[in-house]
Amino acid sequence: MDFPIFYASHLPLFTLWFIFTYILGYFIIFKNWDNKYRSEAASCFMSLSHGTPALVLSILSILQSQNNIVQLDFTSPNTALQNLVLEHSIAYFLMDLFHYMVLIPGDVLFIAHHVASLYVLTTCRYLFGHGAVAILGILVLAEVTTSCQNTWSLSRYRKVDSEKAACVFGFLSPYFYAYFSVVRGILGPLYVYKIGLIFNSGVADGLIPRWAWISWIIVIVGGIGGSILWVMHLWIDLYRERKKKGLKKLS
């Protein structure tokens, strides 16, 4: 098995970019925000700078490398563009993991998510050199909700201090929850099931070790399960809040 050359990686450059976006968000864009949410807002800004480019480049790299979009070749060698997208995402998750470990160490769910994501991305990029089509497909499903999620998060942080933010949060919440539920609760599991079927057929033998793709599936399923639990709690909170408002109107 050939190992990609680390010194040819764009990872250091992307890491510097995400450091810059975080600093830009923290010290300039959100400098007047309450310290309680200032760092999280900077993290959202960094996420926005990652999500849309990752989404577009992932789709482009898959389209460029595949002859049949309906029947994707999940075991094909990683292309240069696919490796670039993987490195871009690795840099983002490294920086956001650092943010959580230093400033929000109690958020175990997000820390575990980022560590698991880094495991899948780095092994696909630097260890095996195959499987990027499958992994970037997962990245597409993850990042397609990013813009909406970060807008929702920013309005949630400001809803107490800003009436406009409160209106955005109230309006956006049910639509975001529904959108997130469909992508992570339906499309995600279907896509992972398809990956598992193809890998289990033996087509990846000799390219990606069985233990590797099984561990990928386990990590991804765990991530999807965590996302489903998260959005379920949000639905429950929304239901309780709407019920409480209804009772207040009646009283």
Side-chain angles (χ1 to χ4, degrees), residues 5-178:
I5 302 173
F6 279 89
Y7 64 72
S9 171
H10 294 84
L11 184 61
L13 182 63
F14 286 136
T15 302
L16 289 174
W17 164 250
F18 287 117
I19 291 173
F20 167 75
T21 57
Y22 187 90
I23 291 173
L24 179 65
Y26 190 87
F27 289 104
I28 298 177
I29 297 176
F30 305 110
K31 65 179 181 179
N32 295 323
W33 279 40
D34 188 290
N35 287 334
K36 181 180 179 181
Y37 295 120
R38 190 175 169 190
S39 62
E40 293 193 51
S43 174
C44 283
F45 181 68
M46 186 169 62
S47 177
L48 284 167
S49 72
H50 164 256
T52 302
L55 173 64
V56 173
L57 291 174
S58 293
I59 293 173
L60 183 62
S61 72
I62 292 172
L63 292 175
Q64 285 185 343
S65 68
Q66 300 295 297
N67 295 321
N68 186 352
I69 299 303
V70 177
Q71 190 63 45
L72 296 175
D73 182 3
F74 291 139
T75 63
S76 60
N78 300 352
T79 66
L81 180 56
Q82 287 166 354
N83 282 334
L84 189 74
V85 181
L86 290 170
E87 290 169 357
H88 179 254
S89 293
I90 290 169
Y92 161 70
F93 280 110
L94 279 172
M95 290 312 304
D96 208 40
L97 176 63
F98 181 75
H99 155 78
Y100 275 99
M101 292 185 72
V102 172
L103 298 175
I104 320 174
D107 200 334
V108 178
L109 182 62
F110 267 89
I111 290 174
H113 170 269
H114 282 22
V115 170
S117 298
L118 283 168
Y119 165 73
V120 174
L121 293 167
T122 54
T123 53
C124 178
R125 168 61 182 97
Y126 295 113
L127 197 57
F128 306 121
H130 290 75
V133 172
I135 301 307
L136 293 181
I138 293 293
L139 191 63
V140 167
L141 292 173
E143 300 304 335
V144 76
T145 60
T146 292
S147 295
C148 187
Q149 181 173 344
N150 283 300
T151 303
W152 172 83
S153 294
L154 290 171
S155 64
R156 179 168 63 95
Y157 299 149
R158 291 290 286 175
K159 65 178 182 178
V160 175
D161 302 317
S162 168
E163 186 177 339
K164 185 178 292 186
C167 290
V168 171
F169 176 78
F171 172 79
L172 193 59
S173 289
Y175 297 104
F176 165 59
Y177 300 168

Side-chain angles (χ1 to χ4, degrees), residues 200-212:
N200 195 50
S201 68
V203 296
D205 293 351
L207 301 173
I208 305 171
R210 183 166 289 267
W211 65 263

Side-chain angles (χ1 to χ4, degrees), residues 145-239:
T145 60
T146 292
S147 295
C148 187
Q149 181 173 344
N150 283 300
T151 303
W152 172 83
S153 294
L154 290 171
S155 64
R156 179 168 63 95
Y157 299 149
R158 291 290 286 175
K159 65 178 182 178
V160 175
D161 302 317
S162 168
E163 186 177 339
K164 185 178 292 186
C167 290
V168 171
F169 176 78
F171 172 79
L172 193 59
S173 289
Y175 297 104
F176 165 59
Y177 300 168
Y179 181 38
F180 191 91
S181 298
V182 170
V183 174
R184 301 294 180 94
I186 299 175
L187 299 181
L190 288 175
Y191 184 75
V192 175
Y193 177 71
K194 184 177 181 180
I195 293 175
L197 283 180
I198 292 175
F199 280 171
N200 195 50
S201 68
V203 296
D205 293 351
L207 301 173
I208 305 171
R210 183 166 289 267
W211 65 263
W213 68 256
I214 289 176
S215 67
W216 286 356
I217 295 292
I218 292 171
V219 166
I220 293 167
V221 168
I224 291 174
S227 296
I228 292 172
L229 287 175
W230 180 71
V231 79
M232 280 178 61
H233 282 294
L234 293 177
W235 277 119
I236 292 169
D237 288 342
L238 180 64
Y239 171 77

